[in-house]
Amino acid sequence: MNVSRADFPKGFQFGAATSSYQIEGHGFGGAGQTHWDSFAATPGNVVRAENGAVACDHYHRMPQDLDLLAAANFDVYRFSTSWARVLPEGRGAVNPEGLDFYDRLVDGLLERGLKPAATLYHWELPSPLADLGGWRNRDIAGWFADFTEVIMGRIGDRVWSTATINEPWCVAWLSHFLGLHAPGLRDIRAAARAMHHVLLAHGRAIETMRGMGLTNLGAVCNFEYAAPADASPAAATAAARYDAIYNRWFLSGMFKGEYPAEALEGLMPHMPTGWQDDMPTIGAKVDWAGLNYYTRKLIGPDAGPWPACAEVPGPLPKTEMGWEIYPEGLHAFLTRTHAEYTRGLPLYITENGMANADVLVNGAVPDQARIDYLDAHLAQVRRAIAEGVPVAGYFVWSLLDNYEWSLGYEKRFGLIHVDFETLRRTPKASYHALARALAR
Ligand code: FCB
């Protein structure tokens, strides 16, 4: 790699990220059914109808995976806690095995000198709550606060940081408007409600954790740089609308107590009654903000109904996801988030990485493309830091090849290759390069 630990301020945290459903093996340890299980079992939703029942079998191989994490010289590990593993019905009876698992995980990290960075929710909603309307139902804020209390009551004394909900845009828009993630809805009323309730749940979880005396609490949003597809005013308007829905809605809600006008213009008729009264809860004070960043999109006008945005194929080199590689977008979001929303709070890049067509050749995986991707994005992080943006850490997505949601096991994002037949782990060239760059 071109960059190394020495190029970053003292105390800058390097980590790797994963999520529960994508690696643990949800069929193990008494976890309850989730909306991803039924979404995956419905033809047409997921490549080969694959699900997270086995995934990387991290549930049983956790000590080995933590050893690999430590050997890469990381400082911190971002993992998520599965609601359905802890509360199989979403509410009520606790699964003791589930709590024990996260307890062992946190202790295992601390024993290896790694900081545990928890994310409370990374998408596997318990099915009984999905039956009640899931994110469309305002009651989810209370259910989520209750889950927060249960899981943090067990591990909150030892975690280094806690984020509430991974990528509210994916939870709400991708899953209720675009229909590409569970529960697979394509309905503007459902989407408007989810867009609001996901933030209300975030606020209630923050309040709950504050009440428990916990510190270093944050929010993690995802960002996609929205560039107008051409120089026309129509493309500029469409890109601004896309940016409002994707990139500004959640930050505006949390840090300004309002939603962007370009998004409300379409969503207002579908918002839940009295939503304005929830803004103080949504604005509950956080200690840091996390940005997940992968790509940009070229946006032009579309003939259809609101939001009337069309994605136009771009000219830049692409990853296996078909996503353009645009490191400058990361710099743009770091500077904008700091200047317009978080104003001095520490920022973390909580996810960044690429899917690559990795192949195992004689026990090695030569993924130079991933090394280049990470280098280019870390250079943009350095640029933002040099300009005074308080960036405090960077997490690679992901530690392991894993269940990439609707794309099943086909897309490999890991620093470590996983053979999904044998579950054997093989560190890739990028893993070794990072380990050298991060040596203390
Ligand atoms: C993010 C998700 C993560 C993974 C990466 C590629 O949107 O948080 O689970 O799917 O994208």
Side-chain angles (χ1 to χ4, degrees), residues 1 3-4 8 12 14 327 330 349 352 371-385 393-396 434 437-438:
M1 298 203 43
V3 295
S4 76
F8 290 81
F12 190 89
F14 286 95
L330 178 55
I349 294 95
N352 178 235
I371 295 174
D372 295 344
Y373 182 101
L374 299 177
D375 253 334
H377 286 78
L378 281 166
Q380 295 295 328
V381 177
R382 288 187 67 197
R383 187 177 149 213
I385 293 172
Y394 173 93
F395 296 72
V396 178
L434 260 174
L438 301 184

Side-chain angles (χ1 to χ4, degrees), residues 59-230:
Y59 187 77
H60 297 109
R61 294 161 199 254
M62 185 250 285
Q64 177 199 345
D65 292 339
L66 299 192
D67 286 344
L68 285 165
L69 195 60
N73 296 317
F74 285 119
D75 309 297
V76 50
Y77 174 53
R78 175 170 179 250
F79 63 96
S80 76
T81 53
S82 164
W83 190 341
R85 180 177 295 293
V86 172
L87 296 169
E89 297 293 314
R91 303 179 285 178
V94 168
N95 170 30
E97 275 184 79
L99 282 180
D100 290 348
F101 173 72
Y102 294 116
D103 202 63
R104 289 199 304 278
L105 171 59
V106 168
D107 283 344
L109 288 165
L110 294 173
E111 280 160 19
R112 290 167 179 80
L114 292 157
K115 298 182 177 72
T119 299
L120 295 169
Y121 180 81
H122 198 130
W123 307 355
E124 62 284 86
L125 187 70
S127 297
L129 302 183
D131 295 341
L132 297 174
W135 293 102
R136 286 176 288 160
N137 186 336
R138 180 185 174 81
D139 291 345
I140 196 158
W143 304 331
F144 186 60
D146 292 345
F147 161 60
T148 300
E149 196 168 343
V150 172
I151 181 65
M152 283 296 123
R154 184 65 179 269
I155 63 172
D157 57 336
R158 281 155 296 145
V159 292
W160 175 69
S161 68
T162 308
T164 52
I165 296 167
N166 180 68
E167 302 189 347
W169 179 87
C170 290
V171 172
W173 200 258
L174 185 66
S175 308
H176 295 81
F177 188 83
L178 300 177
L180 296 174
H181 274 191
L185 294 178
R186 290 172 43 72
D187 185 279
I188 194 168
R189 179 176 164 97
R193 275 143 208 272
M195 290 286 273
H196 182 67
H197 295 150
V198 72
L199 283 175
L200 183 59
H202 154 83
R204 289 288 306 280
I206 293 287
E207 287 177 353
T208 300
M209 291 190 283
R210 291 281 178 223
M212 299 170 79
L214 301 180
T215 55
N216 207 11
L217 312 179
V220 170
C221 297
N222 54 320
F223 298 85
E224 208 174 76
Y225 191 85
D230 56 48

Side-chain angles (χ1 to χ4, degrees), residues 17-19 22 78 122-123 166-167 169-170 174 181 220 222 246 292-294 321 323 350-355 397-398 402-406 411 413:
T18 64
S19 90
Q22 291 178 277
R78 175 170 179 250
H122 198 130
W123 307 355
N166 180 68
E167 302 189 347
W169 179 87
C170 290
L174 185 66
H181 274 191
V220 170
N222 54 320
Y246 202 124
N292 295 356
Y293 177 79
Y294 292 93
M321 297 292 276
W323 294 349
T350 30
E351 285 182 26
N352 178 235
M354 72 177 285
W397 183 270
S398 180
N402 59 45
Y403 180 64
E404 182 42 41
W405 307 112
S406 53
K411 303 296 178 204
F413 272 92

